[in-house]
Amino acid sequence: MTIFYPLDTARLILQVDEKRKARSTPAVLMEIIKEEGLLAPYRGWFPVISSLCCSNFVYFYTFNSLKSLWLKGTAPTTGKDLTIGFIAGIVNVLVTTPLWVVNTRLKLQGAKFRSDDIKPTTYTGISDAFQKILQQEGVLSLWNGTLPSLLLVFNPAIQFMFYEGLKRQLLRQQAELSSFQVFVIGAIAKAIATAVTYPLQTVQSVLRAFRIFGSLQRS
């Protein structure tokens, strides 16, 4: 995540700032560095990494616990993998959405937007963001974007469905997978899941940044 963090910053900017003329990732990164400084692509790194650690812990713990309970003594299938992944995703969304709302705002804070209706925030950190959102917007604002996030549980569910399916196919032909094979099937599975669910990710980003957008009036 740290290595590819600047790409994620460019993705978020492109999703929320529709009036930005530069549409390619390298061009957006160059604009950010030129206007905001060399470290700007890493803005909000700590809250994102913290949220990612919590989110992955919740998801993988739930996924493997359900898998151990449900598949005990039975053979795994693609349908079961998808169902378990879906349930684990729902649990993850409900528990960790407040963290992602906060880190989305911190990541956008200080960015130079092209859209006039974007209103920047002034949070000093994670705890300050939580406090101000609760005071100014109410507790439910911490769950902004929950609906598309719930729909996006299909992302890891689809990812693990393809990952487990590809892994089983390879294990029928050989006793053990190499690190490179694990890397390749993981990348393929993630690419498929991302391509299928990307429109929902765009909606999710906009809703999480709701305070920045005010009324979110679009032309």
Side-chain angles (χ1 to χ4, degrees):
M1 187 63 188
T2 298
I3 292 172
F4 293 104
Y5 192 83
L7 299 179
D8 195 56
T9 298
R11 172 195 63 82
L12 185 59
I13 292 294
L14 285 170
Q15 284 178 329
V16 301
D17 192 3
E18 62 183 23
K19 293 185 179 180
R20 185 175 288 271
K21 293 181 179 180
R23 304 307 298 175
S24 68
T25 301
V28 171
L29 284 175
M30 290 303 297
E31 283 185 353
I32 293 173
I33 292 172
K34 183 178 179 180
E35 296 175 0
E36 304 167 37
L38 188 62
L39 296 180
Y42 281 92
R43 182 177 47 243
W45 174 84
F46 180 74
V48 169
I49 293 298
S50 301
S51 299
L52 189 65
C53 289
C54 294
S55 181
N56 280 341
F57 172 79
V58 171
Y59 183 84
F60 282 106
Y61 185 86
T62 305
F63 182 88
N64 286 290
S65 297
L66 291 173
K67 190 174 181 180
S68 298
L69 291 172
W70 192 12
L71 301 182
K72 191 174 183 179
T74 63
T77 65
T78 299
K80 289 179 180 179
D81 290 334
L82 182 63
T83 303
I84 292 172
F86 185 77
I87 296 172
I90 291 175
V91 173
N92 182 38
V93 166
L94 296 177
V95 172
T96 65
T97 289
L99 289 173
W100 289 110
V101 169
V102 167
N103 82 54
T104 297
R105 301 202 183 178
L106 289 173
K107 193 170 184 178
L108 291 173
Q109 187 166 269
K112 295 185 182 299
F113 297 104
R114 303 296 187 269
S115 299
D116 295 332
D117 56 345
I118 300 178
K119 300 177 181 178
T121 53
T122 54
Y123 305 129
T124 59
I126 297 177
S127 59
D128 182 59
F130 270 111
Q131 183 179 356
K132 287 184 176 178
I133 291 172
L134 286 171
Q135 290 177 347
Q136 299 172 7
E137 305 171 49
V139 65
L140 292 181
S141 293
L142 290 172
W143 275 268
N144 280 352
T146 297
L147 180 57
S149 296
L150 287 173
L151 296 176
L152 275 170
V153 300
F154 280 111
N155 184 299
I158 292 171
Q159 176 186 347
F160 273 89
M161 180 186 71
F162 277 97
Y163 176 81
E164 295 289 345
L166 291 169
K167 185 173 72 173
R168 282 194 291 269
Q169 290 294 325
L170 289 174
L171 288 175
R172 290 175 184 173
Q173 305 170 17
Q174 58 193 79
E176 187 177 352
L177 299 181
S178 67
S179 298
F180 179 73
Q181 288 175 315
V182 172
F183 171 79
V184 171
I185 63 175
I188 292 172
K190 185 62 177 178
I192 293 172
T194 300
V196 170
T197 61
Y198 189 79
L200 287 172
Q201 293 181 40
T202 301
V203 174
Q204 179 193 62
S205 295
V206 172
L207 289 175
R208 284 175 173 173
F210 180 79
R211 185 67 177 180
I212 295 177
F213 282 78
S215 61
L216 285 177
Q217 294 178 349
R218 295 290 180 182
S219 57

